């Protein structure tokens, strides 16, 4: 799992670097995460300690300034519990980047295409 994410982030980071040089200014990534269907069962203690925690630590340690914003679509009611589990693993800078989008009636692709999220 982590090897995949390292490959993915390194590829993204290289592309962002190339675009930054091309345009003469820093280029960042906006992430859109659709949480439709998320349940507390997916946040088992084993998942949090063996997958989520190492992944969050890795992304914050090595790729902290890659992402400009993280948009969370369709957060279920259980997100309050999950957020309490995840927040202690995040830096304040990462927490400040996260935006919960509760009132959007469409898919992640629809959200990106709408550009309603640009700020």
């Amino acid at each position: 799992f982590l090897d995949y994410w390292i490959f993915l982030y390194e590829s993204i980071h290289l592309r962002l670097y190339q675009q930054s040089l091309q345009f003469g200014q820093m280029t960042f990534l906006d992430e859109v995460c659709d949480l439709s269907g998320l349940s507390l069962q997916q946040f088992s203690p084993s998942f949090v300690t063996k997958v989520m925690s190492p992944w969050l630590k890795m992304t914050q340690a090595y790729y902290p300034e890659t992402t400009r914003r993280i948009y969370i679509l369709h957060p279920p009611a259980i997100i309050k519990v999950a957020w309490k589990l995840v927040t202690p693993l995040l830096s304040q800078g990462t927490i400040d980047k996260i935006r919960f989008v509760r009132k959007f009636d469409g898919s992640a692709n629809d959200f990106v295409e709408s550009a309603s999220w640009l700020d």
Side-chain angles (χ1 to χ4, degrees):
F1 178 82
L2 289 178
D3 289 342
Y4 167 77
W5 280 100
I6 291 170
F7 172 77
L8 183 65
Y9 274 110
E10 286 295 320
S11 299
I12 291 169
H13 197 76
L14 176 61
R15 184 68 180 135
L16 292 174
Y17 175 73
Q18 291 168 338
Q19 286 186 344
S20 294
L21 290 176
Q22 178 183 351
F23 297 118
Q25 65 182 20
M26 290 294 297
T27 303
F28 300 97
L29 179 70
D30 286 332
E31 298 179 39
V32 179
C33 304
D34 188 346
L35 298 186
S36 298
L38 182 72
S39 71
L40 187 57
Q41 294 170 332
Q42 294 163 311
F43 282 90
S44 69
S46 176
F47 173 78
V48 171
T49 58
K50 293 181 180 179
V51 177
M52 182 173 269
S53 181
W55 176 73
L56 289 171
K57 287 177 184 175
M58 185 230 5
T59 57
Q60 291 184 94
Y62 298 107
Y63 310 100
E65 296 306 320
T66 301
T67 301
R68 184 178 71 102
R69 293 271 188 269
I70 302 169
Y71 296 93
I72 310 287
L73 300 181
H74 309 119
I78 198 68
I79 197 69
K80 290 179 183 179
V81 174
W83 186 242
K84 287 180 183 179
L85 293 171
V86 173
T87 304
L89 304 173
L90 302 175
S91 69
Q92 187 61 48
T94 299
I95 292 168
D96 293 343
K97 293 177 184 182
I98 296 173
R99 304 287 187 267
F100 290 98
V101 181
R102 300 183 195 297
K103 296 181 181 181
F104 184 80
D105 203 21
S107 69
N109 286 338
D110 296 335
F111 183 76
V112 170
E113 290 174 4
S114 74
S116 64
W117 47 276
L118 290 173
D119 50 31

